[in-house]
Amino acid sequence: MRRSVSGLAAPSAPDALSAEERAAIGTAPAPPPARQQRRQLQTEFEFELPRGYVDDAGAVHRHGVMRLATARDELVPLRDVRVQENPAYLSVVLLSRVITRLGTLPAVHDGIVEQLFASDLAFLQDFYRQVNAEGHTRAGVTCPHCEQPFEVELGGSRLGES
């Protein structure tokens, strides 16, 4: 505290006070939070196939989980002879690496992905792109007439296409 001409205490500028003085008069900066909450990175995403995989016993498997792809997931299939001979096969190998669960199947491999209905394969290719592009391919837009904001899906190319 500074003394004024009249001898009464006048408030000091907060910057001129020591930490102890600021704490005593309640202007001390708030201590940083003990633990800042961090946003968890979601690495697995559930999906529901439009038709479903039909196993040898006739059971239909529709519910599944796909994980985020790693650089390795995208590089390893490029060495696969089937992909080198037929680049369209890339999506089959890639999807078999990132689908971690499909119904009650014990494992998902490229033989299962090969037997999916075309509509389910297309769905999974689009889902892969959405999951690995920051989780979505939507954009916020505003209606030119009513000026209300809404989102549109920017869906487009399949896996392996530009």
Side-chain angles (χ1 to χ4, degrees):
M1 298 280 226
R2 288 187 312 216
R3 298 272 175 206
S4 68
V5 177
S6 64
L8 298 174
S12 300
D15 292 340
L17 299 176
S18 70
E20 295 82 18
E21 291 172 321
R22 286 193 307 263
I25 61 172
T27 60
R35 187 173 193 200
Q36 294 212 358
Q37 288 192 358
R38 290 187 179 158
R39 196 172 129 197
Q40 293 284 330
L41 175 63
Q42 184 177 357
T43 59
E44 292 191 328
F45 303 84
E46 294 185 358
F47 62 84
E48 191 82 22
L49 292 176
R51 298 197 190 276
Y53 169 74
V54 181
D55 66 18
D56 294 336
V60 178
H61 305 271
R62 294 183 67 205
H63 185 78
V65 175
M66 181 183 293
R67 66 172 173 77
L68 284 177
T70 63
R72 183 180 191 93
D73 291 324
E74 294 200 349
L75 294 171
V76 168
L78 298 176
R79 294 190 307 228
D80 190 303
V81 175
R82 298 167 297 181
V83 173
Q84 291 173 353
E85 291 174 359
N86 181 3
Y89 201 75
L90 172 64
S91 64
V92 170
V93 177
L94 187 53
L95 289 171
S96 70
R97 293 180 62 90
V98 297
I99 297 172
T100 59
R101 190 172 68 234
L102 183 57
T104 58
L105 297 173
V108 178
H109 51 80
D110 33 341
I112 289 173
V113 177
E114 285 176 341
Q115 294 177 14
L116 290 172
F117 293 109
S119 58
D120 289 334
L121 180 62
F123 168 85
L124 287 169
Q125 290 170 328
D126 189 50
F127 190 67
Y128 175 92
R129 190 175 24 72
Q130 290 177 12
V131 162
N132 287 286
E134 297 295 327
H136 62 81
T137 56
R138 293 181 298 269
V141 295
T142 303
C143 175
H145 302 289
C146 66
E147 298 186 8
Q148 290 295 315
F150 63 98
E151 290 186 343
V152 294
E153 183 66 37
L154 300 175
S157 65
R158 300 272 182 248
L159 270 174
E161 295 179 1
S162 298

